[in-house]
Amino acid sequence: MDLFLGLGIGGIVLLAASLVFDGVLEGVFDGALDGLFDGWLSLPVIAGFVSMLGFTGAIVLGTTGLGPGAAAAAGAVAGAGAGWSTYRLSLALARDGSGTAPRHDELVGSAGTVVTAIPAGGYGEVMLRLGGQPVKYAATADGPVALGAEVWVTATPSSTSVGVRAVER
C-alpha cells in the first residue's frame, strides 16, 4: 500500500515540478533529448500515468481482496488512460488558435464611431474595436465629420491614427 501511495504522491510532485520548471529539463540536456519529452513522453503525461497508477493501485489494494499484482495491473490500465487523456488534452491546447496579436492594419474596413468631431483638414477621434477591445484612435477625413457619426476606416497611416470616411445611410 505504501508503494502505491508513494507513486501517487510522486506523480503529483512530478506534475507540480513540470508546471513550475516547464522546459528546464529539456534545456539541461542541451538538445540531447530533442523530441523525447514531446508528446507521449512529456512530463505531464508521465506524471498523470504515475499518479493514477499509484492511487488506483492503492484503492484496489485497500478495497478488494486482490493482491498487489492485480492492483498494479488495474493501476497500469488507469494510468494509461490518464496518460492518454493528458496527451490528447495537451494536443488540443497546442492547436488553440495562432496566438498572434491583432495588427493595426487589420482595422481597414472596420466600422467605428466619432467621439471627437473631425474638422476639415484636422484630427478628431474615433472609437474602434481591435481584437474585440474598444480602442480610441486619432482620425482624419476628407471633410468634416460630426460627433457620433458612424465611419469606416479607409487607411492606417500610423499606429495611433486612421483615415476614415463617413457612412452614408
Side-chain angles (χ1 to χ4, degrees):
M1 176 75 81
D2 292 340
L3 174 66
F4 288 120
L5 289 176
L7 284 173
I9 292 168
I12 300 264
V13 169
L14 182 61
L15 178 62
S18 72
L19 294 174
V20 171
F21 301 112
D22 183 35
V24 171
L25 185 60
E26 290 86 352
V28 167
F29 295 106
D30 197 27
L33 301 176
D34 281 347
L36 181 65
F37 289 104
D38 295 336
W40 280 105
L41 288 180
S42 66
L43 287 179
V45 170
I46 293 169
F49 174 81
V50 170
S51 63
M52 190 59 79
L53 167 75
F55 289 134
T56 302
I59 290 170
V60 168
L61 192 62
T63 59
T64 66
L66 301 175
V77 170
W84 181 81
S85 297
T86 305
Y87 171 71
R88 297 298 297 175
L89 179 63
S90 66
L91 285 179
L93 290 173
R95 285 191 305 263
D96 187 29
S98 66
T100 59
R103 297 188 338 233
H104 181 70
D105 58 346
E106 293 174 3
L107 288 171
V108 174
S110 63
T113 306
V114 176
V115 293
T116 302
I118 304 170
Y123 281 91
E125 292 178 321
V126 294
M127 185 67 71
L128 304 171
R129 290 204 169 272
L130 180 63
Q133 298 297 314
V135 183
K136 193 185 318 183
Y137 286 92
T140 61
D142 291 337
V145 182
L147 173 69
E150 185 178 357
V151 293
W152 287 98
V153 177
T154 58
T156 55
S158 75
S159 63
T160 58
S161 67
V162 293
V164 297
R165 70 171 175 81
V167 174
E168 298 174 12
R169 295 198 182 254

